[in-house]
Amino acid sequence: MPLTRRRCVHAWALGLLLPPHALRAQTAAKVHRVGILRPSAPPLSPTDPIAVGIPNALRDAGYVEGRNLVIERRWAGGDLDRLPALARELVQAGVDVIIAVGAPAVQAAKAATATVPIILYGNFDPLALGLVDSLARPAGNVTGVLIAPDGTLAGKRLELLKAAVPTARRVALLVPEDEAIRVQVQETRAAAQQLGIELSVVVVRSGDYASAFATIARERVAGLVVGSHQYFVRDRAQIIALAAQYKLPAMYEWREQVVDGGLMTYSTSLNGLYERIASYVDRILKGAKPGDLPVERPTRFELVINLKTAKALGLTLPQALRLRADEVIQ
């Protein structure tokens, strides 16, 4: 009998000899457990970008819930003090890797485990927070994907909005009730001072966008910067509709918001970031050590403009800005 055939027969025979629980263990070993730790409340909308985007990216990478993947989801409901306990829950659930969204979630996960790989995702400096030894070689159990290379891009977005509305002397910045937004506010204030713009910071309280926009209207601003936050991506339809109602030229965070009717955005791609997260999950599940994987920072950014929205606002965009755009939606 040829050697390869004998091996197949032996493997088949061994399978017959193995007890059922051993066969089940072999099958179960193929199912991976991924934890997602988020400081926010559970999504109120099926279009929540992270809730939809990460599982979709994992599926495209070959990891499908109900087949070879279990996702353990934990939300802090806006109470950051809950994150440490939730992180410990994920560790106790036996997850193979934790995707931690935002600095507080990463800090909680790192405090909960020194062995379970952690993939960070957000807009912060992991080196300054002591989460990694270096961006190129993190060394510990934390690596991941950052949204911006330096800072939060808030100042750049205000600069581009000013280019779209050169006469603007007063601009509003829309932010959520989230302490993590503080750096964006600081960067936007600094940019406003350099540009000679008076900045009005308006907080959306308890999800009441109507009241926030009524406040913005009373401020008589010439434009609006919508802060970079997952809530604002999730609730983009409502924000875009209110910006249109009040005739406000608005700068957003992601291309997806402009495709849905926002005026402008300057960023990388949400889907691209989720693909990178899924790539890191895949590499770690296949044996890579997180400490050997560099923390990724985006290197390419795109200015996207919706001319249809500009026309509806009665806004004529400078030709120089239109030529500068990487994508123009007609």
Side-chain angles (χ1 to χ4, degrees), residues 274-295:
Y274 297 148
E275 288 170 3
R276 297 312 306 149
I277 292 172
S279 172
Y280 269 33
V281 170
D282 180 49
R283 292 169 70 179
I284 288 171
L285 291 178
K286 289 177 177 175
K289 296 180 180 179
D292 295 335
L293 301 176
V295 176

Side-chain angles (χ1 to χ4, degrees), residues 56-143:
N56 285 350
L58 288 170
R59 184 189 61 225
D60 292 342
Y63 300 95
V64 181
E65 283 191 90
R67 185 184 305 168
N68 63 347
L69 175 68
V70 172
I71 297 181
E72 297 280 356
R73 297 169 171 86
R74 298 293 186 277
W75 295 277
D79 183 358
L80 300 186
D81 291 337
R82 295 183 58 206
L83 287 171
L86 295 174
R88 290 192 294 270
E89 280 186 20
L90 290 176
V91 175
Q92 292 165 3
V95 296
D96 301 301
V97 60
I98 297 173
I99 300 170
V101 181
V106 183
Q107 290 170 317
K110 186 173 174 62
T113 177
T115 57
V116 177
I118 299 166
I119 298 175
L120 64 82
Y121 171 64
N123 210 353
F124 54 91
D125 186 345
L127 188 60
L129 294 175
L131 297 170
V132 297
D133 287 354
S134 75
L135 297 182
R137 197 170 182 82
N141 64 323
V142 178
T143 186

Side-chain angles (χ1 to χ4, degrees), residues 23 37 56 58 72 88 224 230 233 252 326:
L23 291 175
L37 181 62
N56 285 350
L58 288 170
E72 297 280 356
R88 290 192 294 270
L224 171 68
Q230 57 187 326
V233 183
Y252 296 85
D326 298 278

Side-chain angles (χ1 to χ4, degrees), residues 11 36 38 68 82 97 100 116 120 130 136 154 157 187 197 237 248 274 284 296 321:
I36 300 180
R38 300 178 60 179
N68 63 347
R82 295 183 58 206
V97 60
V116 177
L120 64 82
R157 291 190 178 107
E187 291 183 8
I197 290 175
L248 282 171
Y274 297 148
I284 288 171
E296 286 198 6
L321 184 65

Side-chain angles (χ1 to χ4, degrees), residues 133-166:
D133 287 354
S134 75
L135 297 182
R137 197 170 182 82
N141 64 323
V142 178
T143 186
V145 180
L146 295 174
I147 290 175
D150 297 295
T152 68
L153 299 179
K156 185 65 176 180
R157 291 190 178 107
L158 179 60
E159 176 189 323
L160 289 167
L161 180 62
K162 171 69 172 175
V165 191

